Structure formats: C-alpha cells, structure tokens
Amino acid sequence: MLAESQDEEQIIARVAAIDIGKAELVCCVRVPAEGNSKKRLQEVSTHSTMSRSLAELANHLVELRVERVVMEATSDYWKPVFYLLEAHGLEPWLVNARDVRHLPGRPKTDVLDSVWLCKVAERQMLRPSFVPPAPIRRLRDLTRYRIDLVGTRTAEKNRVEKLLEYACIKLSVVASDIFGVSGREMMAALIDGERNPKVLAQLARASMRRKISELEEAFTGLFDDHHAFLLARMLSRIDGIDADIAAVDEQIEAQLAPFAVAAERLDEIPGIGPVAAAIILAEIGVDMSRFPTAGHLCSWAKFSPGINSSAGKTKGSGSTGHGNRYLARVLGEAAVGAGRTDTFLGERHRRLARRRGKKRAIVAIGRSILVISWHLLKDPDARFHDLGVDHFSRRTNPDTSKRNHVRQLEALGYTVTLTPQPDTHPYR
C-alpha cells in the first residue's frame, strides 16, 4: 500500500560558496529577491587571498546577512579563509570535494565551480567536515609537529647506523641502542680521533661492560676522518632535534592545561600514555557533540569496515579506508602496547591475533580504544574500568565448553565419563 508523503525542499535563504586558490578566490552569493520569495539574486566576485581583501569580503558577507559560507578543502589554502570568516562571526563550512560532484559535460571554471557549490549548498546537500576550535587547533599543530620531529630524528639515527656500517663499525650488532650513554661516548671518541678498539671498548658502561671483547671486535673497522666529519654533523642534528622536541613538549603541556582532566582520563586506558592522550585530544577534540555516537567517531576516523553491497551480495574486502593518519598511527601504537598488557584489551588483542592475524587485531583494538575515548569524553563523570584479563573465560558457558570437549574426545574414539568435582570448576 502506497502512503502519501510531502517533501518540502528546505533552502537556505542566504548562502555563499567560495572556490579557493592560492592567489585568489571566487565567491558566489545567493540571496532571496526583495518582494519575491521564489526568485533568487546571485552575485559572483573575485578576490585576492591577501588579508585585507579577505577582511573586505567577510564584511560584505556580514552586511548581506549570509547564514552559511561553504568552501572546498583545497590543500591548506582554505585555512586562512576559514579562520578569518570564523573570526568575523560567520558560519563557515568545510566540505569534502568528493561530495561536490561536477556534472558530466559541464564546463569547469572557477566561476562555474563556485556557482555550482553555492546551489548545492543552499539545498543542504552537503555535510560539513570536522574542524576543531582554535584551542584544539593550536594543540594539534604542536602534536603533529612533534610527530614530524620524531620521524626526522629517527631518519637521522638510521643514517648514523648506515654510516657506521659503511665504515665496518658493527656497534649496532653488539649494542641494542647505539644512542645510549655508552654508544654516544664511543661515537664521540671516534669523532675526536680515537681509533684503538681496546680504548673504545673500555668506554662501555653498566651492562655493556660484559661485552668488552665483542666491542673490541666491532670497532675493528675502516673508520676515517671522512666518516668522523659526517658522524659529527649527524649527531649534532640529532641533538638539535632533541632540543626542539623538548621545547615542543613544554608548549604541548601548556596548551593541554585546560584539558588536563580529559587527558588524565584517557591516560587510564591500557596502551595510552601522556603523549598519546595529547595526540588523541588534538585530533578529535573534547566536545563529542560533533559525533552523535561512538560509531560516528569510528566511521570518521576510518576505523569501521566499509560496506559495499549490490544485488544482495557483499563486495570488496571491507577495508576501513584512509582516515586521519596521525590518529591512526597513535591508535595503532596504543593497540600494540595494550596487546602486551594483562588486561581485557590485551587478552582481546591476543585472541584476535590468533584467529584473524595481527593487523586485524590492531585495527580492532584501535577501534575499541577510540570507542572508550568517546565515552570518557562524552561523560565527564565516566572513568575507565578494566573488565579483566579473565573476562572471556568468566563469560564462557561451562555446559557449552563441556559439550565441545566431549565431542572432540569422542571423535578421537574415546568413551567419556564425567565426574563433577564441587567448587573446583575453573570458571567459578
């Protein structure tokens, strides 16, 4: 039976759309005509992306009482425009370019793109992307820069190890960390001109002194002044990066102060430390009203399997897709760390790794950590409570487990007789 329905198209009365480039942008404004609500007035203008021109555009949009300004996420060029319009009290929306499909056969210019974007936006056919507030943006800039610095430092350390290998110095074979106290003193001596393996080996400290003979063998190489020059530059750069990371850490701590309580609650999750908590807050913020449910957050972060079904058949591999790489990285590292703990998440990681493989286990535990984070940030009074490493065994149905074991033994040709022993059941 067919039911009647009335669909009234809800059009935003005053809307603007901006097609952004590096040097200039094109803005299309659509407002209702005076005296005729069905007609629309349209204005298309081109502006420079310099601050003065952007301020004039923002004031003009304010005078027109524009309700919403929509722009595509074009590289990083959208950021100054978005932030300036936001500072003028407007409601800017950042949308994904994939949601704004161009019609086949239609000419493509900056003017036509802005008009098309404006028409699509006024009919509310677009969804806004998540843009955190200014305090979270500042914290995000610091945490992302810290991640990049750590990556640069790691690359430089790899160069040091390769340089020593070229010079037949096998320090990394003997020492697990060549940048520890002993390793740094030995490399400093190499730079200063010391080439005697026995002297270099005697610089070992603590547990490294048990490997004196191995160190003497490791330092019997072809290290010369050329290698010393390069090694000095590399170690100097590593020390400089260490100093930069320390300075960034101080700024992160200062910017994180207003969100210290939220960071402490996230720190209670297995696998999450102070640095990881700061990164998670910087990427998803503290206001979970932007994500109605934990599932929405996981879908935005691409930690939910994709669904591709047609003709009653599911296609594809169910991959999650590519999301926020900074958030994905920290959740992956946290999942690996949680997998080494005697907690519920650790046991779940081990069970999934046995059945589905380590990669799927990391994604699953990363999603669980993200769901827990959503609940902790959604409810200020919520605290993390570990279900325990024995959660799965406690929830196992004894009768089901008994039947399975009896069935397996009977399949091997045994006759099974069970004699219960009170108060000795392993699950009680």
Side-chain angles (χ1 to χ4, degrees), residues 65-370:
R65 304 194 307 278
V66 171
E67 303 172 28
R68 183 176 300 166
V69 184
V70 180
M71 64 190 73
E72 291 183 4
T74 306
S75 183
D76 287 332
Y77 304 145
W78 64 269
K79 292 183 179 180
V81 181
F82 187 99
Y83 300 156
L84 191 143
L85 295 178
E86 187 181 53
H88 278 73
L90 295 166
E91 183 189 357
W93 270 27
L94 182 70
V95 299
N96 196 320
R98 289 179 299 180
D99 295 340
V100 190
R101 299 291 184 182
H102 298 290
L103 293 176
R106 182 175 67 85
K108 186 182 185 306
T109 65
D110 292 344
V111 173
L112 293 178
D113 286 349
S114 64
V115 173
W116 172 254
L117 181 60
C118 195
K119 290 182 177 180
V120 174
E122 72 179 0
R123 289 167 173 79
Q124 304 192 55
M125 298 171 63
L126 300 174
R127 299 172 299 173
S129 299
F130 172 60
V131 179
I136 297 296
R137 291 200 296 262
R138 288 192 290 269
L139 178 61
R140 175 185 285 187
D141 290 339
L142 292 168
T143 56
R144 289 186 174 184
Y145 184 51
R146 186 188 188 280
I147 291 173
D148 294 338
L149 285 176
V150 171
T152 303
R153 182 180 62 181
T154 301
E156 201 66 29
K157 288 183 176 181
N158 291 338
R159 293 189 186 99
V160 170
E161 185 172 354
K162 289 181 179 179
L163 178 67
L164 295 178
E165 286 290 332
Y166 296 159
C168 295
I169 302 297
K170 297 291 185 177
L171 180 59
S172 60
V173 175
V174 181
S176 58
D177 180 17
I178 65 175
F179 297 95
V181 176
S182 299
R184 286 302 299 261
E185 287 194 8
M186 294 172 184
M187 287 188 286
L190 283 172
I191 294 172
D192 292 338
E194 183 61 59
R195 301 290 183 266
N196 191 332
K198 294 183 180 297
V199 176
L200 293 170
Q202 289 299 323
L203 295 175
R205 294 187 179 184
S207 60
M208 282 282 289
R209 296 200 62 83
R210 294 196 297 265
K211 304 177 181 179
I212 295 294
S213 60
E214 299 176 30
L215 287 171
E216 292 177 0
E217 186 69 21
F219 281 110
T220 305
L222 304 174
F223 196 90
D224 56 21
D225 292 341
H226 169 71
H227 300 114
F229 172 81
L230 292 175
L231 181 59
R233 303 283 77 73
M234 294 175 184
L235 294 181
S236 176
R237 190 175 183 189
I238 291 173
D239 292 338
I241 297 174
D242 286 337
D244 291 339
I245 292 176
V248 171
D249 285 338
E250 292 180 2
Q251 287 297 314
I252 290 176
E253 186 176 355
Q255 295 292 335
L256 194 62
F259 318 110
V261 177
E264 290 177 1
R265 292 204 303 272
L266 294 182
D267 195 7
E268 297 175 358
I269 305 174
I272 298 294
V275 174
I279 295 174
I280 292 175
L281 288 177
E283 297 303 328
I284 68 175
V286 294
D287 182 13
M288 291 296 102
S289 61
R290 181 64 181 80
F291 306 102
T293 66
H296 284 80
L297 175 59
C298 294
S299 178
W300 170 81
K302 301 299 183 185
F303 268 77
S304 296
I307 299 176
N308 183 11
S309 178
S310 178
K313 296 181 180 180
T314 301
K315 302 180 180 180
S317 60
S319 62
T320 60
H322 300 286
N324 186 319
R325 64 185 180 93
Y326 294 96
L327 181 60
R329 176 176 177 175
V330 70
L331 290 177
E333 293 174 352
V336 173
R340 301 191 183 104
T341 62
D342 290 331
T343 60
F344 166 75
L345 290 178
E347 180 62 19
R348 183 162 183 260
H349 180 277
R350 291 186 286 271
R351 290 167 63 95
L352 288 172
R354 287 194 297 267
R355 293 189 293 110
R356 306 297 301 277
K358 292 183 179 180
K359 292 184 179 180
R360 289 180 180 272
I362 290 175
V363 175
I365 301 304
R367 186 184 191 281
S368 297
I369 293 175
L370 196 57

Side-chain angles (χ1 to χ4, degrees), residues 356-395:
R356 306 297 301 277
K358 292 183 179 180
K359 292 184 179 180
R360 289 180 180 272
I362 290 175
V363 175
I365 301 304
R367 186 184 191 281
S368 297
I369 293 175
L370 196 57
V371 170
I372 295 171
S373 300
W374 183 89
H375 284 284
L376 292 176
L377 296 175
K378 183 71 173 180
D379 183 4
D381 299 326
R383 307 294 294 187
F384 175 76
H385 173 69
D386 184 29
L387 297 177
V389 68
D390 59 342
H391 174 76
F392 293 102
S393 60
R394 284 189 284 106
R395 293 175 61 88

